[in-house]
Amino acid sequence: MTTLFRRLHMPPLDGATAWLNSAPLDPAGLRGKVVLVDFWTLTCINWLRTAPWVRAWAQAYRDDGLVVIGVHTPEFGFEHDLDLVRRAVRERGIDHPVAVDNGYRVWRAFDNHYWPALYFVDTDGVVRDSHVGEGRYEQSERRLQRLLGIDRPFVSVEGEGDEAAADWDHLRTPETYLGAERGGRPDAPGELRLGSWALTGRWTTEPEDVVCDEPGGSINFRFSARDAHLVLSSAGPAPIHFQVLLDGEAPGRSRGVDVDEQGNGVLDGGRLYQLVRQDGEVRERTLTLTSSAAGARAHVFTFG
């Protein structure tokens, strides 16, 4: 999705509640620079798969006059935690400025509605282009080069782990929210259809998530995709161990980056957890995640 702007100047950034990797920035001080504004939130799989490209552009064109500004606007309540944002910035290797937008003021100033979203600003402070979602990488990089007044080969980028591009040809299961505000009703255990989910044990449904109320509670999901992810957070500070099974067995070589071959993982902070990356043929599977303790919160399944 691309939108061309008619002389819309870059909105102010003074709504940010904190800045990482930089002192506060403003449009006036950025005049003479080409600016790429990247709206993100730390749990968004679509943003994670664009992150390698944005990092690469920030580094490749910094000396040519490009300033990349990440704007972290949270989707879930726990993403307001500044320490979690700091951790994501560190673990994702983000060294460009990040405006923390906990009050959604920068989001509203840009009239933005999506994660991820890119805004391309010229040296006069005019927004020249925007792009929502994944893809269009060569076109975006060409736009940056034209704004910078340069012409050279594009950067080479290949995401790894949970940042790897989705296997779109085999992705048959959509993003699925579990909380009451946007989620559907769970099915009965043992009667799962493709794209449906069920709970076993005691769980409480809250607006943003479902919360495990006792050790041994499980979430079951029937999906068809190479990758399966789940956004998890916890009600307290203590790590929570969990186990993932595929069709009732340990995932082995089909494990995601956040579990071992026996399916063991640790919920050690609110973020997206990659549970499955199918090895070999992609086919319909049933994922079961069992929590070792009460307090695990499950927000949304995403696939790739």
Side-chain angles (χ1 to χ4, degrees):
M1 176 178 177
T2 303
T3 304
L4 295 179
F5 289 82
R6 293 179 294 177
R7 305 299 297 178
L8 174 64
H9 281 79
M10 180 178 171
L13 303 171
D14 56 3
T17 54
W19 284 84
L20 305 179
N21 296 336
S22 172
L25 300 174
D26 62 77
L30 291 164
R31 289 294 175 90
K33 299 286 189 179
V34 172
V35 180
L36 179 66
V37 178
D38 174 32
F39 280 91
W40 61 285
T41 190
L42 65 92
T43 59
C44 176
I45 186 58
N46 306 103
W47 169 73
L48 286 169
R49 294 193 291 239
T50 67
W53 298 87
V54 176
R55 286 196 307 265
W57 295 333
Q59 294 163 10
Y61 298 108
R62 184 171 294 155
D63 292 341
D64 300 294
L66 175 66
V67 177
V68 174
I69 300 174
V71 180
H72 183 272
T73 309
E75 179 176 11
F76 298 111
F78 72 86
E79 292 178 289
H80 288 76
D81 186 334
L82 186 57
D83 286 339
L84 287 179
V85 182
R86 288 194 181 103
R87 174 178 173 177
V89 167
R90 181 179 66 254
E91 293 182 347
R92 299 294 169 183
I94 297 170
D95 62 1
H96 53 263
V98 174
V100 179
D101 186 31
N102 280 351
Y104 301 84
R105 290 178 59 189
V106 181
W107 176 278
R108 289 193 296 268
F110 276 79
D111 193 26
N112 185 54
H113 302 278
Y114 304 99
W115 300 277
L118 296 173
Y119 293 84
F120 301 75
V121 184
D122 69 15
T123 55
D124 293 323
V126 177
V127 182
R128 292 295 187 183
D129 196 4
S130 73
H131 178 68
V132 167
E134 300 177 57
R136 204 199 75 159
Y137 300 117
E138 287 192 2
Q139 186 176 344
S140 293
E141 189 168 358
R142 185 176 297 110
R143 169 64 74 175
L144 290 174
Q145 289 194 2
R146 287 176 178 171
L147 292 174
L148 291 165
I150 60 177
D151 183 9
R152 62 174 182 249
F154 294 152
V155 299
S156 177
V157 177
E158 184 172 354
E160 299 180 350
D162 55 9
E163 295 183 345
D167 180 0
W168 298 109
D169 291 339
H170 297 98
L171 203 168
R172 296 174 52 211
T173 306
E175 181 177 61
T176 302
Y177 287 84
L178 307 180
E181 287 182 346
R182 287 185 284 179
R185 295 174 61 87
D187 281 359
E191 300 179 6
L192 289 182
R193 300 163 288 106
L194 181 62
S196 67
W197 55 286
L199 301 171
T200 57
R202 290 178 51 238
W203 293 77
T204 298
T205 300
E206 297 193 348
E208 290 191 349
D209 49 47
V210 292
V211 186
C212 183
D213 293 328
E214 62 182 4
S218 296
I219 303 175
N220 308 277
F221 200 109
R222 187 73 175 168
F223 75 99
S224 182
R226 184 194 66 195
D227 303 337
H229 318 95
L230 179 58
V231 174
L232 293 166
S233 66
S234 59
I240 296 175
H241 293 264
F242 62 84
Q243 184 178 39
V244 171
L245 300 178
L246 272 179
D247 300 328
E249 299 180 352
R253 294 177 61 183
S254 290
R255 68 183 183 91
V257 297
D258 290 303
V259 299
D260 63 20
E261 291 193 354
Q262 287 70 49
N264 298 310
V266 180
L267 197 176
D268 58 355
R271 60 184 177 89
L272 177 141
Y273 290 77
Q274 186 183 83
L275 306 178
V276 175
R277 170 157 288 170
Q278 291 203 57
D279 180 61
E281 179 187 3
V282 175
R283 55 191 175 88
E284 190 173 321
R285 312 293 293 271
T286 296
L287 178 159
T288 302
L289 181 146
T290 303
S291 176
S292 68
R297 295 178 175 268
H299 298 259
V300 57
F301 278 99
T302 60
F303 303 92

